[in-house]
Amino acid sequence: ILLNKHTSSKGLDIIKAAKDLGVNAIYDLDDWILDLPSYSVTNLDEDVLSNIVQMIRLADTVTVSNPVVQSKLKYLRVDALVLPNGFDHDAIPVEPQRYQEATPPKILFSNTDGIKLVNYRKAFIQQLIEFMEQFPQVTLDFWGDHFPELGRIPRVCERGFNPNKSYKQGIKDQGYLFAVVPLGGQEDPDTLFFNSCKSCIKYIDYGSLGIPGIYSDTPVYAQAVRHGQTGLLVKNTEDHWLQAMVALYQNKELRHRIRLEAHSDCTTHYGVEQVAKKLLPIIHT
């Protein structure tokens, strides 16, 4: 039995039943959901938190996405194992050298459970608006949960929320010039720990799909993205986001180079094979 970030009492019942039957139960925690940040729109009451804690304690194995979560979780489980995120490149093959950019141009923004910015949120939205006003031929596809400021951004197409695999298939052949990936950093000290528990999943997805990305220069992405080679890293200060979007939009050669380098990096380091090798011994425990 494998449960990913499950929170309900039904999940707890399943783990209890699995233990009674001698079935191996794995609980996977790919970010820190026990203390949600202020930007989150998800409500965790005491019953839900109790379910999560009990499932973590009862599961035969607990896996996490990175060492930050592993370290924090030691107070509940000292034996949590790091199982990093990956991408099945065989299931969704991409040839980045043949990537066709859309005409008219489109850019990508995906987000769930609130924009992951606090102090820089207003500035980011404003720079996104200014970019769209500066280049009226560009449209923005937004995939995810609606947020209040979305209506202020020109030429937005809301694509809604899709399950993971259909989402990846959906963005694969859209011809996006680039994606924007904001994430709060040191400017948001109250949410820095929570954000640092996240994985670089958007880089893995976008790099694997041949979509160049602009990422906040925070610990999660600074450890994965090589600035100017596999993506652009941007400080959440001043008008750096606008500068990066304009620079990448106006430089097709840079987009092409990032597309190739990011795809190569993701297929080499974030393939599903690497994850499978770590998961197989857990399943056979």
Side-chain angles (χ1 to χ4, degrees), residues 164-177:
N164 189 271
K165 186 174 182 179
S166 60
Y167 161 71
K168 291 176 182 177
Q169 291 282 11
I171 66 175
K172 173 178 176 286
D173 297 317
Q174 296 293 327
Y176 295 119
L177 271 65

mmCIF file with all atom_site columns, all heavy atoms in Angstrom, residues 164-177:
data_model
loop_
_atom_site.group_PDB
_atom_site.id
_atom_site.type_symbol
_atom_site.label_atom_id
_atom_site.label_alt_id
_atom_site.label_comp_id
_atom_site.label_asym_id
_atom_site.label_entity_id
_atom_site.label_seq_id
_atom_site.pdbx_PDB_ins_code
_atom_site.Cartn_x
_atom_site.Cartn_y
_atom_site.Cartn_z
_atom_site.occupancy
_atom_site.B_iso_or_equiv
_atom_site.pdbx_formal_charge
_atom_site.auth_seq_id
_atom_site.auth_comp_id
_atom_site.auth_asym_id
_atom_site.auth_atom_id
_atom_site.pdbx_PDB_model_num
ATOM 1   N N   . ASN A 1 164 ? -1.779 14.694 -12.592 1.00 0.00 ? 164 ASN A N   1
ATOM 2   C CA  . ASN A 1 164 ? -0.378 14.888 -12.958 1.00 0.00 ? 164 ASN A CA  1
ATOM 3   C C   . ASN A 1 164 ? -0.028 14.447 -14.366 1.00 0.00 ? 164 ASN A C   1
ATOM 4   O O   . ASN A 1 164 ? 0.570  15.201 -15.134 1.00 0.00 ? 164 ASN A O   1
ATOM 5   C CB  . ASN A 1 164 ? 0.514  14.157 -11.938 1.00 0.00 ? 164 ASN A CB  1
ATOM 6   C CG  . ASN A 1 164 ? 1.980  14.476 -12.114 1.00 0.00 ? 164 ASN A CG  1
ATOM 7   O OD1 . ASN A 1 164 ? 2.685  13.812 -12.864 1.00 0.00 ? 164 ASN A OD1 1
ATOM 8   N ND2 . ASN A 1 164 ? 2.440  15.501 -11.424 1.00 0.00 ? 164 ASN A ND2 1
ATOM 9   N N   . LYS A 1 165 ? -0.399 13.220 -14.736 1.00 0.00 ? 165 LYS A N   1
ATOM 10  C CA  . LYS A 1 165 ? 0.008  12.708 -16.044 1.00 0.00 ? 165 LYS A CA  1
ATOM 11  C C   . LYS A 1 165 ? -0.669 13.474 -17.179 1.00 0.00 ? 165 LYS A C   1
ATOM 12  O O   . LYS A 1 165 ? -0.023 13.836 -18.181 1.00 0.00 ? 165 LYS A O   1
ATOM 13  C CB  . LYS A 1 165 ? -0.305 11.218 -16.165 1.00 0.00 ? 165 LYS A CB  1
ATOM 14  C CG  . LYS A 1 165 ? 0.225  10.609 -17.459 1.00 0.00 ? 165 LYS A CG  1
ATOM 15  C CD  . LYS A 1 165 ? 0.036  9.102  -17.506 1.00 0.00 ? 165 LYS A CD  1
ATOM 16  C CE  . LYS A 1 165 ? 0.616  8.530  -18.789 1.00 0.00 ? 165 LYS A CE  1
ATOM 17  N NZ  . LYS A 1 165 ? 0.463  7.047  -18.865 1.00 0.00 ? 165 LYS A NZ  1
ATOM 18  N N   . SER A 1 166 ? -1.973 13.747 -17.047 1.00 0.00 ? 166 SER A N   1
ATOM 19  C CA  . SER A 1 166 ? -2.664 14.476 -18.108 1.00 0.00 ? 166 SER A CA  1
ATOM 20  C C   . SER A 1 166 ? -2.175 15.918 -18.190 1.00 0.00 ? 166 SER A C   1
ATOM 21  O O   . SER A 1 166 ? -2.150 16.509 -19.274 1.00 0.00 ? 166 SER A O   1
ATOM 22  C CB  . SER A 1 166 ? -4.178 14.430 -17.893 1.00 0.00 ? 166 SER A CB  1
ATOM 23  O OG  . SER A 1 166 ? -4.542 15.016 -16.660 1.00 0.00 ? 166 SER A OG  1
ATOM 24  N N   . TYR A 1 167 ? -1.764 16.478 -17.059 1.00 0.00 ? 167 TYR A N   1
ATOM 25  C CA  . TYR A 1 167 ? -1.176 17.821 -17.068 1.00 0.00 ? 167 TYR A CA  1
ATOM 26  C C   . TYR A 1 167 ? 0.117  17.830 -17.875 1.00 0.00 ? 167 TYR A C   1
ATOM 27  O O   . TYR A 1 167 ? 0.330  18.691 -18.737 1.00 0.00 ? 167 TYR A O   1
ATOM 28  C CB  . TYR A 1 167 ? -0.926 18.277 -15.634 1.00 0.00 ? 167 TYR A CB  1
ATOM 29  C CG  . TYR A 1 167 ? 0.073  19.409 -15.506 1.00 0.00 ? 167 TYR A CG  1
ATOM 30  C CD1 . TYR A 1 167 ? -0.238 20.697 -15.925 1.00 0.00 ? 167 TYR A CD1 1
ATOM 31  C CD2 . TYR A 1 167 ? 1.333  19.175 -14.966 1.00 0.00 ? 167 TYR A CD2 1
ATOM 32  C CE1 . TYR A 1 167 ? 0.686  21.730 -15.807 1.00 0.00 ? 167 TYR A CE1 1
ATOM 33  C CE2 . TYR A 1 167 ? 2.255  20.194 -14.841 1.00 0.00 ? 167 TYR A CE2 1
ATOM 34  C CZ  . TYR A 1 167 ? 1.931  21.473 -15.266 1.00 0.00 ? 167 TYR A CZ  1
ATOM 35  O OH  . TYR A 1 167 ? 2.851  22.485 -15.152 1.00 0.00 ? 167 TYR A OH  1
ATOM 36  N N   . LYS A 1 168 ? 0.975  16.864 -17.636 1.00 0.00 ? 168 LYS A N   1
ATOM 37  C CA  . LYS A 1 168 ? 2.240  16.794 -18.378 1.00 0.00 ? 168 LYS A CA  1
ATOM 38  C C   . LYS A 1 168 ? 1.988  16.582 -19.867 1.00 0.00 ? 168 LYS A C   1
ATOM 39  O O   . LYS A 1 168 ? 2.640  17.213 -20.709 1.00 0.00 ? 168 LYS A O   1
ATOM 40  C CB  . LYS A 1 168 ? 3.116  15.680 -17.812 1.00 0.00 ? 168 LYS A CB  1
ATOM 41  C CG  . LYS A 1 168 ? 3.638  15.960 -16.419 1.00 0.00 ? 168 LYS A CG  1
ATOM 42  C CD  . LYS A 1 168 ? 4.418  14.771 -15.870 1.00 0.00 ? 168 LYS A CD  1
ATOM 43  C CE  . LYS A 1 168 ? 4.899  15.032 -14.461 1.00 0.00 ? 168 LYS A CE  1
ATOM 44  N NZ  . LYS A 1 168 ? 5.596  13.877 -13.872 1.00 0.00 ? 168 LYS A NZ  1
ATOM 45  N N   . GLN A 1 169 ? 1.056  15.691 -20.176 1.00 0.00 ? 169 GLN A N   1
ATOM 46  C CA  . GLN A 1 169 ? 0.710  15.478 -21.584 1.00 0.00 ? 169 GLN A CA  1
ATOM 47  C C   . GLN A 1 169 ? 0.123  16.749 -22.188 1.00 0.00 ? 169 GLN A C   1
ATOM 48  O O   . GLN A 1 169 ? 0.370  17.060 -23.354 1.00 0.00 ? 169 GLN A O   1
ATOM 49  C CB  . GLN A 1 169 ? -0.303 14.328 -21.701 1.00 0.00 ? 169 GLN A CB  1
ATOM 50  C CG  . GLN A 1 169 ? 0.242  12.950 -21.358 1.00 0.00 ? 169 GLN A CG  1
ATOM 51  C CD  . GLN A 1 169 ? 1.070  12.341 -22.484 1.00 0.00 ? 169 GLN A CD  1
ATOM 52  O OE1 . GLN A 1 169 ? 1.423  13.006 -23.452 1.00 0.00 ? 169 GLN A OE1 1
ATOM 53  N NE2 . GLN A 1 169 ? 1.400  11.064 -22.331 1.00 0.00 ? 169 GLN A NE2 1
ATOM 54  N N   . GLY A 1 170 ? -0.642 17.489 -21.372 1.00 0.00 ? 170 GLY A N   1
ATOM 55  C CA  . GLY A 1 170 ? -1.291 18.702 -21.867 1.00 0.00 ? 170 GLY A CA  1
ATOM 56  C C   . GLY A 1 170 ? -0.332 19.822 -22.206 1.00 0.00 ? 170 GLY A C   1
ATOM 57  O O   . GLY A 1 170 ? -0.542 20.560 -23.173 1.00 0.00 ? 170 GLY A O   1
ATOM 58  N N   . ILE A 1 171 ? 0.737  19.963 -21.428 1.00 0.00 ? 171 ILE A N   1
ATOM 59  C CA  . ILE A 1 171 ? 1.676  21.070 -21.683 1.00 0.00 ? 171 ILE A CA  1
ATOM 60  C C   . ILE A 1 171 ? 2.791  20.664 -22.647 1.00 0.00 ? 171 ILE A C   1
ATOM 61  O O   . ILE A 1 171 ? 3.534  21.521 -23.133 1.00 0.00 ? 171 ILE A O   1
ATOM 62  C CB  . ILE A 1 171 ? 2.294  21.601 -20.375 1.00 0.00 ? 171 ILE A CB  1
ATOM 63  C CG1 . ILE A 1 171 ? 3.190  20.544 -19.703 1.00 0.00 ? 171 ILE A CG1 1
ATOM 64  C CG2 . ILE A 1 171 ? 1.210  22.072 -19.416 1.00 0.00 ? 171 ILE A CG2 1
ATOM 65  C CD1 . ILE A 1 171 ? 3.928  21.068 -18.469 1.00 0.00 ? 171 ILE A CD1 1
ATOM 66  N N   . LYS A 1 172 ? 2.892  19.370 -22.927 1.00 0.00 ? 172 LYS A N   1
ATOM 67  C CA  . LYS A 1 172 ? 4.012  18.849 -23.720 1.00 0.00 ? 172 LYS A CA  1
ATOM 68  C C   . LYS A 1 172 ? 4.112  19.477 -25.105 1.00 0.00 ? 172 LYS A C   1
ATOM 69  O O   . LYS A 1 172 ? 5.205  19.877 -25.539 1.00 0.00 ? 172 LYS A O   1
ATOM 70  C CB  . LYS A 1 172 ? 3.877  17.331 -23.838 1.00 0.00 ? 172 LYS A CB  1
ATOM 71  C CG  . LYS A 1 172 ? 4.881  16.655 -24.772 1.00 0.00 ? 172 LYS A CG  1
ATOM 72  C CD  . LYS A 1 172 ? 4.669  15.151 -24.767 1.00 0.00 ? 172 LYS A CD  1
ATOM 73  C CE  . LYS A 1 172 ? 5.578  14.439 -25.751 1.00 0.00 ? 172 LYS A CE  1
ATOM 74  N NZ  . LYS A 1 172 ? 5.150  14.644 -27.143 1.00 0.00 ? 172 LYS A NZ  1
ATOM 75  N N   . ASP A 1 173 ? 2.999  19.582 -25.822 1.00 0.00 ? 173 ASP A N   1
ATOM 76  C CA  . ASP A 1 173 ? 3.048  20.015 -27.218 1.00 0.00 ? 173 ASP A CA  1
ATOM 77  C C   . ASP A 1 173 ? 2.435  21.397 -27.446 1.00 0.00 ? 173 ASP A C   1
ATOM 78  O O   . ASP A 1 173 ? 1.986  21.711 -28.546 1.00 0.00 ? 173 ASP A O   1
ATOM 79  C CB  . ASP A 1 173 ? 2.336  18.983 -28.105 1.00 0.00 ? 173 ASP A CB  1
ATOM 80  C CG  . ASP A 1 173 ? 3.016  17.623 -28.069 1.00 0.00 ? 173 ASP A CG  1
ATOM 81  O OD1 . ASP A 1 173 ? 4.254  17.593 -28.124 1.00 0.00 ? 173 ASP A OD1 1
ATOM 82  O OD2 . ASP A 1 173 ? 2.301  16.606 -27.980 1.00 0.00 ? 173 ASP A OD2 1
ATOM 83  N N   . GLN A 1 174 ? 2.447  22.231 -26.415 1.00 0.00 ? 174 GLN A N   1
ATOM 84  C CA  . GLN A 1 174 ? 1.856  23.562 -26.532 1.00 0.00 ? 174 GLN A CA  1
ATOM 85  C C   . GLN A 1 174 ? 2.815  24.584 -27.153 1.00 0.00 ? 174 GLN A C   1
ATOM 86  O O   . GLN A 1 174 ? 2.391  25.666 -27.552 1.00 0.00 ? 174 GLN A O   1
ATOM 87  C CB  . GLN A 1 174 ? 1.402  24.062 -25.156 1.00 0.00 ? 174 GLN A CB  1
ATOM 88  C CG  . GLN A 1 174 ? 0.289  23.242 -24.530 1.00 0.00 ? 174 GLN A CG  1
ATOM 89  C CD  . GLN A 1 174 ? -1.009 23.366 -25.293 1.00 0.00 ? 174 GLN A CD  1
ATOM 90  O OE1 . GLN A 1 174 ? -1.312 24.418 -25.865 1.00 0.00 ? 174 GLN A OE1 1
ATOM 91  N NE2 . GLN A 1 174 ? -1.783 22.301 -25.319 1.00 0.00 ? 174 GLN A NE2 1
ATOM 92  N N   . GLY A 1 175 ? 4.090  24.250 -27.205 1.00 0.00 ? 175 GLY A N   1
ATOM 93  C CA  . GLY A 1 175 ? 5.058  25.163 -27.817 1.00 0.00 ? 175 GLY A CA  1
ATOM 94  C C   . GLY A 1 175 ? 5.391  26.376 -26.961 1.00 0.00 ? 175 GLY A C   1
ATOM 95  O O   . GLY A 1 175 ? 5.714  27.447 -27.490 1.00 0.00 ? 175 GLY A O   1
ATOM 96  N N   . TYR A 1 176 ? 5.340  26.225 -25.663 1.00 0.00 ? 176 TYR A N   1
ATOM 97  C CA  . TYR A 1 176 ? 5.624  27.357 -24.773 1.00 0.00 ? 176 TYR A CA  1
ATOM 98  C C   . TYR A 1 176 ? 7.049  27.866 -24.962 1.00 0.00 ? 176 TYR A C   1
ATOM 99  O O   . TYR A 1 176 ? 7.994  27.083 -25.037 1.00 0.00 ? 176 TYR A O   1
ATOM 100 C CB  . TYR A 1 176 ? 5.426  26.955 -23.318 1.00 0.00 ? 176 TYR A CB  1
ATOM 101 C CG  . TYR A 1 176 ? 3.994  26.618 -22.961 1.00 0.00 ? 176 TYR A CG  1
ATOM 102 C CD1 . TYR A 1 176 ? 3.661  25.348 -22.494 1.00 0.00 ? 176 TYR A CD1 1
ATOM 103 C CD2 . TYR A 1 176 ? 2.978  27.556 -23.114 1.00 0.00 ? 176 TYR A CD2 1
ATOM 104 C CE1 . TYR A 1 176 ? 2.351  25.031 -22.172 1.00 0.00 ? 176 TYR A CE1 1
ATOM 105 C CE2 . TYR A 1 176 ? 1.667  27.247 -22.797 1.00 0.00 ? 176 TYR A CE2 1
ATOM 106 C CZ  . TYR A 1 176 ? 1.361  25.986 -22.329 1.00 0.00 ? 176 TYR A CZ  1
ATOM 107 O OH  . TYR A 1 176 ? 0.055  25.670 -22.014 1.00 0.00 ? 176 TYR A OH  1
ATOM 108 N N   . LEU A 1 177 ? 7.171  29.187 -24.999 1.00 0.00 ? 177 LEU A N   1
ATOM 109 C CA  . LEU A 1 177 ? 8.504  29.777 -25.100 1.00 0.00 ? 177 LEU A CA  1
ATOM 110 C C   . LEU A 1 177 ? 9.272  29.578 -23.809 1.00 0.00 ? 177 LEU A C   1
ATOM 111 O O   . LEU A 1 177 ? 10.461 29.269 -23.822 1.00 0.00 ? 177 LEU A O   1
ATOM 112 C CB  . LEU A 1 177 ? 8.414  31.271 -25.441 1.00 0.00 ? 177 LEU A CB  1
ATOM 113 C CG  . LEU A 1 177 ? 8.379  31.610 -26.942 1.00 0.00 ? 177 LEU A CG  1
ATOM 114 C CD1 . LEU A 1 177 ? 7.121  31.063 -27.600 1.00 0.00 ? 177 LEU A CD1 1
ATOM 115 C CD2 . LEU A 1 177 ? 8.493  33.110 -27.157 1.00 0.00 ? 177 LEU A CD2 1
#
